[in-house]
Amino acid sequence: MPTTVIMLSAVAAGYCDVRWRRIPNWLVAATIALCLASHGLINGVAGLRMSAAGLVLGIVLLFPLFLLRGMGAGDVKYFGAIGAGVTYQHVFTVLVISLVISGVMSLYKILKVRRLRESLANIQDLLSQFRHGHLKPHPVVGIDNDQALLVPFTLASALSTWLVILFVP
């Protein structure tokens, strides 16, 4: 039951992210509630704890990127919902695969619009700021810049969730 809930929810969230660049709060809340409840019903208190730990871990992992304006709150909240579905045991796997997928999506977009040199300069600037301890939102690379090349991270997370559920034991 939890796998069905999170897989259907992932399809809906991925669609919303591509179509409207938003993940509805009702979808996040319903996904969290259904995942927590189903894990609790199937595995008792231990299942509820594993699901709740996945929820918290999913949010904690992406929250710094939200603070740096690298992604929206909907992405963070929905990744928490994914964590509630796959539990804390698989959140890191989903994250790594999501980062690979979104990296490929980003590279495709950069090459498609021919902004490789500009993107590499922005990455170099970000790394330089990080190396010098200046952690603050970047003026060019971020969700607040209408000219930024953005990719739908929740779509990448949704695809990753399906891959983990279907292929990871």
Side-chain angles (χ1 to χ4, degrees):
M1 165 94 166
T3 56
T4 304
V5 169
I6 196 64
M7 290 173 82
L8 291 174
S9 174
V11 170
Y15 175 78
C16 290
D17 197 19
V18 170
R19 178 83 163 87
W20 296 292
R21 291 188 54 206
R22 297 186 59 82
I23 295 87
N25 284 332
W26 65 263
L27 179 61
V28 174
T31 303
I32 291 170
L34 289 170
C35 288
L36 288 171
S38 58
H39 278 293
L41 287 172
I42 293 169
N43 298 311
V45 174
L48 182 60
R49 284 185 183 150
M50 289 172 53
S51 184
L55 167 65
V56 171
L57 188 56
I59 291 171
V60 167
L61 287 171
L62 295 187
F63 195 70
L65 292 173
F66 166 73
L67 292 176
L68 292 171
R69 306 303 296 149
M71 67 176 40
D75 294 315
V76 177
K77 292 182 288 188
Y78 192 74
F79 199 76
I82 289 172
V86 299
T87 73
Y88 75 90
Q89 296 172 313
H90 297 294
V91 173
F92 286 111
T93 306
V94 172
L95 178 61
V96 169
I97 296 170
S98 298
L99 292 172
V100 170
I101 291 171
S102 61
V104 170
M105 290 167 44
S106 298
L107 184 59
Y108 171 78
K109 195 167 195 175
I110 288 167
L111 295 174
K112 182 179 176 187
V113 298
R114 299 174 188 250
R115 286 175 54 182
L116 180 62
R117 185 171 295 153
E118 177 186 341
S119 297
L120 290 174
N122 287 331
I123 291 170
Q124 182 180 7
D125 187 38
L126 279 169
L127 292 174
S128 175
Q129 286 184 22
F130 180 71
R131 195 171 48 248
H132 293 97
H134 300 145
L135 297 176
K136 60 184 180 185
H138 193 274
V140 177
V141 182
I143 61 172
D144 298 325
N145 179 2
D146 292 335
Q147 303 301 314
L149 297 177
L150 303 175
V151 295
F153 184 77
T154 293
L155 175 62
S157 299
L159 294 170
S160 176
T161 300
W162 271 73
L163 291 172
V164 167
I165 288 172
L166 292 175
F167 299 111
V168 174

